[in-house]
């Protein structure tokens, strides 16, 4: 296996003493100048004061830094050299599916015919974009086993909320039991956005415990399901990385109680082309296009969270809907009286939709299935080897294969050496490997949630495993070395309490200036 020894200088980042862009600002400096032949706006549009209402005219110019083009380029290039990205090394951030994004996807999103569109253009001028969305909706419906799809939600969490609101409308408009069905059942290993989305929709959260195998406890589910149950929100495979083998019985229990079943698509990368949520009995599905369908989403964006539904929920989808007319042209239709309305301005995060379209178009059905196969293979390869490293264990069922991710516990390492999962995560950065998700799911003590994705080669996985072996040896021989990591990053070990405390956060340049004045007084 591993053909080379891990080197903790592999992840060495640049460390520039780089001022803020506002501090680079020099009055009068510009990044561009328009040619003298540029048309006079006033000659074309007339006096702007007659066009723009006075109350909308800004009296003071915005505080925009005045920096030359080379200055801007060098500033952001230096910042990028102090950062980590999926095109620099392995990014096994569990549940986030941080796969490499093919360059052709970005190319597709920057085609002028797409990138120069304005959302207020007449639909007669946006037929290509509407056709792409119409076709993508049908592709996603086929992939998930749903009857209709909306592309409008801009993120997975917004997709969750959209799905739950449609479930609520179903109980209000169809069954007439909206006031009665006040509870949403959610497993204790669910993503944190699940209970948040359900609570925002007005539901009381009922937490379901996990079984000894890390699956939904069927007895607890049967006891919880009843006349107050609006639905169940479930991820399959779950956050342990194990497929819910009793999924048919689970969905039957909820349906028999009169509820609906919601599929969280965060882990969909494990089952593309293998099994469809609609065939498992789910009524609502959200997908993270920025995960399974390959748009880089580090730093909190961008995202897209399309939602698919079965026929009985179709009437409640957000508007507008993209429809194909008899003459083959496309239109936006708002005439859906039972719709929950808009959940985002315009029609969705279009750039991400294009990238997902390009990804699916390039891979096809066989390619999507192969991507899931390799993702599952990679996760099981890591789980098989890491569980043998001193200090690390594989919680819950040892026999059940992991799907796209595996959750490793460093609890034993902490007991033996005092080195925590967080310490391990920070030491990984010195070796050019991004830290996995830590301390999630909450049902695993000292959790390290590892998702290699299908884009990592065996050589990279072997390197990652070797790094964990080395960190284990360091923890047993010199635990302080691991506890004080990272060393090779642009920013060293942070005080976690102070960095998260509201009194120490600096969230804007205005806050920065204010605190600077306070320090100088």
């Amino acid at each position: 296996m591993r053909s080379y020894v891990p080197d903790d200088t592999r992840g060495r980042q640049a460390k520039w003493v780089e001022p803020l862009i506002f501090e680079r600002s020099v009055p009068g400096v510009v990044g561009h100048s328009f040619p003298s032949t540029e048309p006079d706006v006033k000659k074309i549009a007339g006096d702007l004061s007659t066009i723009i209402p006075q109350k909308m005219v800004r009296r003071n110019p915005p505080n925009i830094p005045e920096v030359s083009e080379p200055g801007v380029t060098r500033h952001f290039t230096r910042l990028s050299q102090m950062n980590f990205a999926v095109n620099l090394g392995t990014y096994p951030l569990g549940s986030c599916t941080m796969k490499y994004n093919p360059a052709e996807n970005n190319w597709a999103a920057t085609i002028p015919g797409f990138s120069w569109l304005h959302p207020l253009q007449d639909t007669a001028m946006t037929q290509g974009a509407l056709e792409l969305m119409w076709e993508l909706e049908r592709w996603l419906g086929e992939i998930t086993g749903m009857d209709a799809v909306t592309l409008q939600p801009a993120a997975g969490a917004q997709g969750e909320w959209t799905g739950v609101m449609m479930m609520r409308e179903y109980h209000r408009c169809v069954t007439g039991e909206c006031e009665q069905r006040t509870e949403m059942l959610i497993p204790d290993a669910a993503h944190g956005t699940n209970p948040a989305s359900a609570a925002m929709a007005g539901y009381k959260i009922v937490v379901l415990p996990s079984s000894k195998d890390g699956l939904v406890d069927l007895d607890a589910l049967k006891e919880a399901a009843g006349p107050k149950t609006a639905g169940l929100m479930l991820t399959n495979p779950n956050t342990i990385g194990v497929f819910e083998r009793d999924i048919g019985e689970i969905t039957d229990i909820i349906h028999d109680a009169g509820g609906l079943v919601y599929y969280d698509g965060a882990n969909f990368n494990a089952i593309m082309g293998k099994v469809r949520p609609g065939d498992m009995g789910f009524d609502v599905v959200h997908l993270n296009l920025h995960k399974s369908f390959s748009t880089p989403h580090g730093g909190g964006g961008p995202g897209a969270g399309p939602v698919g539904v079965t026929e009985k929920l179709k009437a409640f989808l957000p508007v507008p809907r993209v429809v194909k007319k008899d003459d083959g042209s496309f239109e936006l239709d708002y005439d859906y009286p039972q719709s929950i309305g808009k959940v985002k301005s315009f029609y969705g995060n279009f750039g991400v939709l294009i990238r997902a379209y390009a990804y699916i178009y390039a891979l096809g059905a066989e390619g999507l299935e192969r991507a899931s196969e390799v993702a599952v293979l990679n996760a099981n390869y890591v789980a098989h080897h890491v569980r043998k490293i001193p200090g690390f264990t594989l919680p819950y069922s040892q026999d059940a294969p992991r799907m796209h991710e595996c959750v490793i516990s460093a609890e034993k390492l902490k007991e033996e050496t005092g080195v925590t999962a967080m310490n391990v995560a920070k030491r990984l950065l010195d070796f050019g490997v991004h830290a996995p998700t830590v301390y999630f799911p909450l049902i695993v003590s000292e959790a390290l949630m590892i998702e290699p994705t299908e884009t990592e080669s065996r050589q990279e996985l072997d390197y990652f495993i070797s790094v964990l072996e080395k960190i284990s040896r360091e923890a047993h021989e010199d635990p302080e070395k691991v506890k004080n990591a990272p060393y090779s990053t642009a920013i060293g070990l942070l005080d976690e309490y102070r960095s998260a405390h509201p009194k120490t956060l600096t969230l804007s340049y205005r806050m920065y200036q204010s605190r600077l004045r306070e320090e100088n007084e």
Side-chain angles (χ1 to χ4, degrees):
M1 199 171 63
R2 297 168 286 283
S3 57
Y4 47 86
V5 178
D7 182 353
D8 62 3
T9 63
R10 170 173 164 168
R12 192 171 299 281
Q13 296 174 339
K15 190 171 184 179
W16 297 94
V17 180
E18 183 64 21
L20 298 173
I21 191 69
F22 287 94
E23 295 171 333
R24 282 188 164 275
S25 180
V26 176
V29 174
V30 295
H32 65 274
S33 60
F34 291 111
S36 58
T37 56
E38 192 71 18
D40 189 328
V41 174
K42 286 190 177 182
K43 288 181 180 178
I44 297 175
D47 186 355
L48 292 179
S49 64
T50 65
I51 300 173
I52 304 175
Q54 188 62 29
K55 64 181 180 179
M56 297 179 67
V57 176
R58 188 180 178 97
R59 283 140 177 91
N60 300 313
N63 182 23
I64 297 175
E66 299 172 81
V67 186
S68 68
E69 182 176 332
V72 171
T73 301
R74 290 166 184 168
H75 173 73
F76 286 105
T77 299
R78 286 171 179 153
L79 292 182
S80 72
Q81 292 172 342
M82 297 168 65
N83 201 2
F84 189 91
V86 73
N87 58 343
L88 291 176
T90 303
Y91 212 125
L93 196 63
S95 190
C96 286
T97 315
M98 294 293 290
K99 62 174 72 175
Y100 173 77
N101 182 58
E104 64 183 3
N105 296 1
N106 288 331
W107 167 82
T110 57
I111 294 174
F114 287 141
S115 62
W116 283 87
L117 286 178
H118 191 283
L120 291 179
Q121 281 182 248
D122 189 276
T123 54
M125 303 172 66
T126 61
Q127 287 296 296
L130 294 177
E131 182 175 3
L132 182 147
M133 292 192 290
W134 184 85
E135 194 163 25
L136 180 60
E137 286 181 358
R138 275 140 192 83
W139 288 358
L140 297 178
E142 175 62 27
I143 291 169
T144 58
M146 294 287 111
D147 295 311
V149 173
T150 175
L151 303 176
Q152 201 173 119
Q158 191 178 36
E160 288 177 19
W161 182 81
T162 300
V164 174
M165 288 299 291
M166 285 190 284
M167 294 165 69
R168 178 174 162 179
E169 281 299 287
Y170 172 82
H171 288 303
R172 185 178 74 85
C173 298
V174 178
T175 68
E177 298 176 323
C178 186
E179 298 301 321
Q180 172 187 336
R181 296 190 176 275
T182 57
E183 297 179 349
M184 188 66 68
L185 310 186
I186 302 177
D188 58 3
H191 294 104
T193 48
N194 286 180
S197 297
M200 285 183 66
Y203 286 110
K204 175 185 175 183
I205 310 305
V206 177
V207 179
L208 299 175
S210 297
S211 69
K212 60 181 178 58
D213 294 324
L215 304 172
V216 171
D217 188 309
L218 290 180
D219 291 334
L221 176 64
K222 292 174 183 176
E223 184 176 346
K228 293 184 178 181
T229 301
L232 166 71
M233 299 183 76
L234 189 67
T235 307
N236 196 26
N238 61 26
T239 50
I240 300 296
V242 177
F243 193 88
E244 295 281 353
R245 59 175 178 261
D246 299 312
I247 188 61
E249 185 175 355
I250 290 171
T251 55
D252 285 345
I253 290 171
I254 298 300
H255 288 150
D256 290 345
L260 299 170
V261 191
Y262 176 93
Y263 181 88
D264 182 322
N267 297 344
F268 191 71
N269 205 57
I271 62 170
M272 291 187 301
K274 290 294 184 183
V275 64
R276 307 188 306 174
D279 299 333
M280 299 182 215
F282 286 92
D283 304 291
V284 188
V285 173
H286 100 258
L287 293 175
N288 298 79
L289 294 189
H290 49 285
K291 293 184 182 184
S292 304
F293 299 96
S294 187
T295 289
H297 61 287
V307 176
V309 295
T310 54
E311 187 66 33
K312 62 185 176 184
L313 292 165
K314 187 176 179 179
F316 309 113
L317 285 167
V319 291
R321 300 278 304 281
V322 180
V323 295
K324 187 175 183 179
K325 299 194 294 185
D326 293 339
D327 63 1
S329 64
F330 297 88
E331 189 60 78
L332 291 170
D333 189 355
Y334 288 82
D335 188 20
Y336 292 90
Q338 291 184 303
S339 168
I340 63 170
K342 275 192 174 185
V343 297
K344 184 185 183 298
S345 299
F346 305 113
Y347 329 118
N349 196 341
F350 189 55
V352 178
L353 303 181
I354 297 171
R355 289 176 173 89
Y357 183 96
Y359 183 75
I360 297 171
Y361 191 88
L363 290 183
E366 292 181 2
L368 292 176
E369 183 177 6
R370 181 61 177 161
S372 287
E373 290 174 348
V374 177
V376 171
L377 176 65
N378 283 353
N380 280 278
Y381 184 78
V382 170
H384 174 76
H385 290 287
V386 174
R387 66 196 289 188
K388 299 177 182 178
I389 300 174
F392 296 112
T393 58
L394 185 66
Y396 294 101
S397 175
Q398 302 294 304
D399 300 325
R402 269 40 184 180
M403 299 296 286
H404 63 303
E405 66 190 7
C406 60
V407 179
I408 300 294
S409 173
E411 183 176 23
K412 189 175 180 182
L413 188 70
K414 180 181 178 181
E415 293 173 352
E416 295 171 349
T417 68
V419 170
T420 65
M422 182 68 79
N423 297 145
V424 173
K426 292 181 178 181
R427 181 59 175 144
L428 278 167
L429 304 179
D430 288 322
F431 296 89
V433 176
H434 194 280
T437 301
V438 294
Y439 300 127
F440 181 79
L442 300 178
I443 60 175
V444 175
S445 178
E446 296 297 318
L448 291 159
M449 180 187 261
I450 301 167
E451 183 180 6
T453 82
E454 73 277 8
T455 57
E456 296 302 326
S457 66
R458 177 174 173 176
Q459 289 80 4
E460 287 294 327
L461 297 182
D462 286 344
Y463 178 79
F464 174 58
I465 295 164
S466 296
V467 170
L468 288 176
E469 289 176 337
K470 184 175 179 62
I471 293 174
S472 172
R473 290 194 299 272
E474 290 178 341
H476 287 89
E477 297 169 2
D478 185 6
E480 292 305 311
K481 183 175 183 179
V482 182
K483 290 179 181 179
N484 290 310
Y487 304 96
S488 301
T489 54
I491 304 298
L493 184 64
L494 296 174
D495 183 320
E496 293 168 19
Y497 172 77
R498 290 187 64 227
S499 66
H501 197 281
K503 290 185 177 180
T504 63
L505 290 175
T506 304
L507 302 178
S508 68
Y509 184 61
R510 184 176 297 175
M511 289 177 65
Y512 170 76
Q513 289 178 310
S514 175
R515 290 190 174 165
L516 200 61
R517 286 194 297 269
E518 291 175 1
E519 292 174 1
N520 293 331
E521 290 176 356

